[in-house]
Amino acid sequence: MDRSALSFPFGQLLYSTVFYPIIFRPLEIEDVLRERERERERERMAGESDYGAFMDKFILQPSSSTDQELPLKGLTFAVKDIFDMVGYVTGFGNPDWARTHSAATTTAPAVLAVLSGGATCVGKTVMDEMAYSINGENKHYGTPKNPFAPDRVPGGSSSGSAVAVGGMLVDFSLGTDTGGSVRVPASYCGILGFRPSHGVVSTSGVIPMAQSFDTVGWFARDAAILYRVGRVLLQLPVVEPVKPTHITIAEDCFQLLISIPSHRVASVLVKSVEKLFGGHIVKYACLGDYVKDHVPTLKHFMGNGLENQEYNVVPLAALSSAMRLLQRSEFKNNHGEWVTTVKPDLGPGISERVWEAVRSTDENLDVCQLVKTELRAALTALLGDYGILAIPTVPGPPPKLQTEPSTLETFRARAFSLLSVAGVSGFCQVSIPLGTYDNLPVSVSLLAKHGSDGFLLNLVETLYGTLKEQIEIAQELSYRRS
């Protein structure tokens, strides 16, 4: 269902601001000064502590001894405590796990790859227990402090890895993303986060959560570094960027936003695309309707009260249900015996999810796999080789620390509806920071078809400078209206 920009409120907003005088010099300077002050505060806090991001600190030099110019030379990185590193116990976010497991005898290939690329590892980072949360709170090791919003959660489960980048402690970091564990903390901490196509980066030497969805992802503050890390992990050749054939704005997904006007997110992206590639490539669609029409097996998950969720896109909520069913089953197969034997001390929310998974039955798993196959085919047809799908990364700003889980149910339901699109399809997705709204981080996500990771990384690098210009204008408009 494609429409011109002028037939949709986002388009109307863009049209109505075309003639707004873009002469913001004095206030732009104020914005720059505010951002510099924010950076100085991050630097001051980083000097006093590590934001609680690290489990272990050490220096592991690049493994290459040649003098050739390596793609990651001079960069530092941190690693989530889910990756094996020789000589260290892989803690999986929980002291009972660490107590009952021996030190790793090998290092995960993804870690070896970036070391071989010339980067220096400076430590292992805190994560949510057993990777079973998107909040970033850990009752045993502490919650890494969100450098962008200290009174808010940092996002998980790759919390420490995101905080280390957001706090300017490292240039990039490695995390994992099963249900959103790179994309969510990237959004909450105001940085870039990349979830690659499922299966294209080795997960060997990484504790599995649910293999049908597990991916190795990475964080960076800079689009060029995000791309350089991707080149190494994905073994990409140097190629010229390809212009996208179309960028589809999933308008129903943007209506899920809480506390952030939908136009504040969409218009920044649309204006940037128009400036670089022309407005003719911007399209609009109702993703939920498209998924419902092209993923027939999804009807098995459309009941269970989902139709009464007025705050959600029902077909995407059904996708989330299918994903969580398969995720629970695979988690149980991986860790059920250990959980029932050790009975680990787990934090609130995580304990309930872990035991729910352990006690789950393996029903409708074949149907879940069919949904995965159908969704990938449907979205491949929608996007083609060089199309992009744009959705919010999450439905709003990061929740406050220690918020009661019950009060977050609507937020979590919307979040997993958005996160399940890439999760179930296996498509690559990047979360891009779009500045702030009410002093809290804003982000947008771009998705490309499975295997188009290089194309997506190139596009982010191409877009990033223009996006930052449009972010300044959007924040200036918001500042003037307040």
Side-chain angles (χ1 to χ4, degrees):
M1 183 178 66
D2 295 337
R3 294 187 250 172
S4 71
L6 296 183
S7 65
F8 182 64
F10 297 157
Q12 292 167 7
L13 175 85
L14 298 177
Y15 182 78
S16 68
T17 60
V18 165
F19 303 109
Y20 200 99
I22 314 297
I23 305 173
F24 298 138
R25 297 308 307 166
L27 292 173
E28 282 178 1
I29 291 171
E30 289 182 17
D31 277 348
V32 170
L33 292 174
R34 283 196 297 271
E35 180 56 32
R36 284 180 181 169
E37 182 59 33
R38 188 180 290 129
E39 286 191 10
R40 280 196 293 270
E41 178 64 12
R42 287 199 290 261
E43 289 170 353
R44 183 189 65 79
M45 292 175 66
E48 294 176 356
S49 71
D50 63 5
Y51 294 95
F54 286 93
M55 290 290 299
D56 290 293
K57 290 182 178 180
F58 50 80
I59 300 294
L60 189 56
Q61 298 289 351
S63 56
S64 176
S65 59
T66 65
D67 292 329
Q68 70 187 60
E69 191 65 28
L70 297 171
L72 304 180
K73 183 178 180 180
L75 300 182
T76 58
F77 74 101
V79 178
K80 182 179 182 177
D81 195 23
I82 198 171
F83 291 83
D84 284 347
M85 295 187 71
V86 65
Y88 291 89
V89 174
T90 309
F92 208 20
N94 180 270
D96 289 322
W97 181 278
R99 175 178 57 82
T100 54
H101 289 78
S102 302
T105 57
T106 58
T107 297
V111 177
L112 291 174
V114 292
L115 286 169
S116 298
T120 298
C121 182
V122 299
K124 299 189 79 171
T125 56
V126 174
M127 60 174 285
D128 293 49
E129 298 173 80
M130 304 190 82
Y132 223 141
S133 174
I134 59 170
N135 272 359
E137 295 174 301
N138 188 307
K139 82 167 194 173
H140 304 286
Y141 302 124
T143 298
K145 182 175 289 186
N146 186 331
F148 211 105
D151 65 331
R152 305 287 174 136
V153 297
S157 61
S158 307
S159 52
S161 290
V163 166
V165 171
M168 298 185 285
L169 305 176
V170 293
D171 297 303
F172 71 93
S173 62
L174 299 183
T176 59
D177 189 310
T178 301
S181 292
V182 164
R183 293 164 289 169
V184 172
S187 175
Y188 288 179
C189 292
I191 58 176
L192 292 150
F194 194 86
R195 175 197 163 99
S197 299
H198 184 257
V200 302
V201 177
S202 173
T203 55
S204 178
V206 180
I207 299 175
M209 202 277 183
Q211 288 91 328
S212 290
F213 310 106
D214 289 346
T215 62
V216 169
W218 57 98
F219 302 93
R221 292 184 304 277
D222 177 79
I225 291 178
L226 191 81
Y227 172 71
R228 286 162 63 186
V229 176
R231 271 192 61 205
V232 170
L233 288 173
L234 298 161
Q235 301 179 4
L236 295 172
V238 179
V239 295
E240 288 297 314
V242 177
K243 175 182 175 180
T245 52
H246 60 278
I247 294 184
T248 298
I249 309 294
E251 56 185 352
D252 50 345
C253 293
F254 282 92
Q255 298 307 316
L256 293 179
L257 287 169
I258 301 169
S259 305
I260 301 171
S262 56
H263 63 74
R264 167 61 182 85
V265 182
S267 64
V268 169
L269 174 64
V270 171
K271 299 268 291 186
S272 300
V273 170
E274 288 180 336
K275 183 174 181 179
L276 285 172
F277 307 117
H280 63 284
I281 74 166
V282 179
K283 312 293 181 184
Y284 293 89
C286 285
L287 184 61
D289 290 348
Y290 181 85
V291 167
K292 182 180 179 181
D293 292 342
H294 292 83
V295 185
T297 307
L298 199 59
K299 66 179 181 290
H300 293 280
F301 300 94
M302 295 286 280
N304 302 319
L306 291 181
E307 65 279 359
N308 297 323
Q309 292 187 9
E310 295 179 6
Y311 54 83
N312 216 333
V313 178
V314 172
L316 301 189
L319 270 186
S320 174
S321 295
M323 179 174 174
R324 283 184 285 116
L325 181 66
L326 184 52
Q327 181 182 2
R328 282 194 294 265
S329 174
E330 293 183 351
F331 181 90
K332 180 180 72 172
N333 291 338
N334 291 324
H335 306 302
E337 183 178 350
W338 180 83
V339 171
T340 54
T341 302
V342 175
K343 296 181 174 55
D345 181 16
L346 298 167
I350 294 175
S351 178
E352 289 81 356
R353 283 190 288 279
V354 165
W355 282 103
E356 181 185 21
V358 169
R359 293 166 180 149
S360 64
T361 59
D362 294 338
E363 296 177 2
N364 293 323
L365 299 187
D366 290 344
V367 178
C368 294
Q369 295 291 355
L370 271 176
V371 169
K372 286 184 63 184
T373 301
E374 291 173 359
L375 181 67
R376 181 178 294 189
L379 294 184
T380 299
L382 177 68
L383 298 185
D385 289 338
Y386 298 112
I388 292 291
L389 178 66
I391 63 174
T393 306
V394 287
K400 290 186 176 181
L401 289 163
Q402 298 178 332
T403 300
E404 279 294 323
S406 59
T407 66
L408 291 175
E409 281 311 305
T410 297
F411 187 92
R412 283 177 57 82
R414 292 189 182 193
F416 282 113
S417 292
L418 296 168
L419 295 165
S420 65
V421 178
V424 178
S425 67
F427 278 27
C428 50
Q429 178 174 343
V430 61
S431 180
I432 304 173
L434 296 182
T436 62
Y437 182 82
D438 281 347
N439 294 315
L440 292 171
V442 178
S443 66
V444 72
S445 270
L446 304 181
L447 288 77
K449 78 168 191 175
H450 186 273
S452 294
D453 304 68
F455 161 64
L456 184 56
L457 285 165
N458 262 321
L459 177 62
V460 174
E461 191 172 13
T462 301
L463 269 175
Y464 203 55
T466 305
L467 278 171
K468 288 196 285 189
E469 293 173 4
Q470 295 302 322
I471 290 165
E472 289 181 8
I473 293 171
Q475 291 186 165
E476 199 53 66
L477 288 170
S478 176
Y479 177 78
R480 287 192 166 210
R481 289 166 179 162
S482 63

